[in-house]
Amino acid sequence: MRRVTFVIYPGYSAMALAAVAVFETANAVQGKAEYDFRFMSEKGGAVSTSSGLPLKCEPLSQERGDTLIVGGASFEKPLSPGLIAFIRSAPRKYRRIASICTGAFVLGEAGLLDGRRVTTHWLHARDLQARFPKAQVDEDRIFINDGQVWTSAGMSAGIDLALALIENDLGADAAKSVARKLVLYHRRGGGQSQFSNLLELAPKTDRIQAALAYARENLHKPLGVPDLADAAHLSPRQFSRAFRAETGQSPAKAIENLRIEVARDLMEQSRHPIEAIARQTGFTDGDHMRRAFLRAFGQPPQVLRRQARNELAD
């Protein structure tokens, strides 16, 4: 059985505890206790989380465990020297150390980010880099695995991180079964951007939103302006003008970005051949998709797939 220990401190975000449900579901899916849990704070007892909900904890212990997870908080008060010393010693007692959202700052204070590639919520990424210049902070990743240390973006990304840890332990099929039981669309890959193209476009009217929803569900089709305009119940001229006014992009550029986003996700999450993914996401062929990836990421699809698999295997 793998012991997962959560380090709790005042103001700890209750949302970070969503990762517990992911491991708990893995136990149910596997039909046996693959994981057990401990919640520890410096002195033990009830600790108030960010929502005011008290969480009963054990005192920090020198016992060994499998995975140590530190979630984020508001950091209105400095962390205690005792807690930082405990985190600093964690690599000697735990196989993996992970942070969720601004929990990366706790790992940084303990010196665990030095020389590593890491991430956190994009709002705090530049502050993390400034405070811990020996770390290499990537502000546009869902999660990153660098050796013994795993870091994730905002609180919901802790769910993706937990699924990735389960995949690392039990395999891809187990992680997919857990995601399915949690009614998740899929596990987002670590290399996926924290920014969704649909969210970034931020259309203001229902008609343009309907067109984008139609596009997202029909990426395998050509999706010219007449198709999108029909979904929005506008003339092609009206649609093009309204689309650019609301999103700041041309329809063609927005659709290519959506194709790239979904194709990258499929490259990381599946073993489908590049040509099959290209057809599924509406690129004319694998070479067309390759050129789009080079424009967007500066790397071809095969390299991004290899990086995602290497990160998960570390």
Side-chain angles (χ1 to χ4, degrees), residues 272-301:
H272 298 325
I274 290 176
E275 290 291 338
I277 292 175
R279 289 193 300 271
Q280 187 174 344
T281 53
F283 291 104
T284 54
D285 52 39
D287 188 57
H288 183 197
M289 189 174 82
R290 180 180 181 277
R291 292 196 300 272
F293 270 57
L294 287 172
R295 287 194 299 272
F297 310 119
Q299 295 177 318

Side-chain angles (χ1 to χ4, degrees), residues 99-203:
S99 67
I100 298 172
C101 195
T102 54
F105 286 81
V106 182
L107 301 191
E109 291 288 350
L112 300 190
L113 302 186
D114 292 356
R116 296 187 185 275
R117 293 178 56 249
V118 300
T119 193
T120 189
H121 192 293
W122 62 270
L123 276 173
H124 305 283
R126 294 185 182 180
D127 185 25
L128 185 70
Q129 184 67 82
R131 287 179 58 181
F132 308 107
K134 293 182 181 179
Q136 182 185 339
V137 180
D138 188 335
E139 65 183 69
D140 194 29
R141 301 293 295 274
I142 295 296
F143 64 83
I144 290 177
N145 170 214
D146 189 334
Q148 193 178 7
V149 174
W150 299 63
T151 53
S152 77
M155 292 302 178
S156 65
I159 295 173
D160 301 289
L161 174 66
L163 286 167
L165 293 172
I166 290 168
E167 183 170 340
N168 185 245
D169 293 336
L170 307 177
D173 288 342
K176 288 178 182 177
S177 296
V178 172
R180 190 178 302 116
K181 188 160 186 178
L182 290 170
V183 199
L184 296 172
Y185 176 62
H186 58 82
R187 174 182 72 77
R188 293 179 292 178
Q192 185 171 333
S193 173
Q194 292 188 34
F195 302 93
S196 164
N197 279 308
L198 281 176
L199 289 176
E200 288 296 293
L201 289 170

